[in-house]
């Protein structure tokens, strides 16, 4: 897709065209365009956030997963919990994530 076609697609998406939003999310995911996905996720499109979580997981981008978890993504939080990093567990537990608190308790009891 050319830059001008991508710009038109963004304009349509920004104007509220849901088909354009869906296409833009799919394209950004295929291209690995995390900045575009962040922009769309920050605009409230949960499909973009889901795609962003998936890309961050594939890339091992823990900073992005942390950012997403801090922004309320339960999928990103779940991935961080699975990894079992004590600092992440503490941070998530302090933010009210009961699963992280339970995991932290189990790890510190051992």
């Amino acid at each position: 897709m050319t830059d001008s076609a991508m710009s038109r697609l963004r304009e349509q998406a920004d104007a509220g065209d849901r088909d354009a939003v869906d296409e833009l999310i799919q394209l950004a995911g295929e291209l690995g365009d995390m900045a575009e996905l962040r922009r769309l996720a920050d605009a409230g499109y949960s499909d973009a956030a889901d795609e962003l979580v998936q890309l961050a997981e594939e890339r091992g981008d823990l900073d992005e997963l942390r950012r997403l978890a801090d922004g309320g993504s339960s999928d990103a939080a779940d991935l961080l919990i699975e990894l079992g990093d004590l600092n992440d567990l503490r941070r998530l537990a302090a933010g009210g994530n009961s699963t992280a608190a339970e995991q932290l308790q189990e790890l510190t009891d051992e």
Side-chain angles (χ1 to χ4, degrees), residues 27-101:
L27 213 75
E30 290 171 3
L31 296 172
D33 187 344
M34 294 185 79
E36 185 68 34
L37 289 169
R38 270 188 221 106
R39 185 182 78 80
L40 292 164
D42 290 345
Y45 296 107
S46 61
D47 292 345
D50 294 343
E51 189 70 30
L52 196 52
V53 169
Q54 184 178 345
L55 272 177
E57 178 186 20
E58 289 171 6
R59 294 178 176 185
D61 189 340
L62 296 178
D63 289 335
E64 185 65 23
L65 287 173
R66 289 178 186 118
R67 187 188 78 78
L68 291 163
D70 290 346
S73 170
S74 59
D75 291 337
D78 290 345
L79 288 171
L80 290 171
I81 290 167
E82 284 179 27
L83 293 173
D85 178 80
L86 288 176
N87 290 326
D88 286 329
L89 291 172
R90 285 185 189 107
R91 189 175 45 74
L92 291 167
N97 186 305
S98 60
T99 305

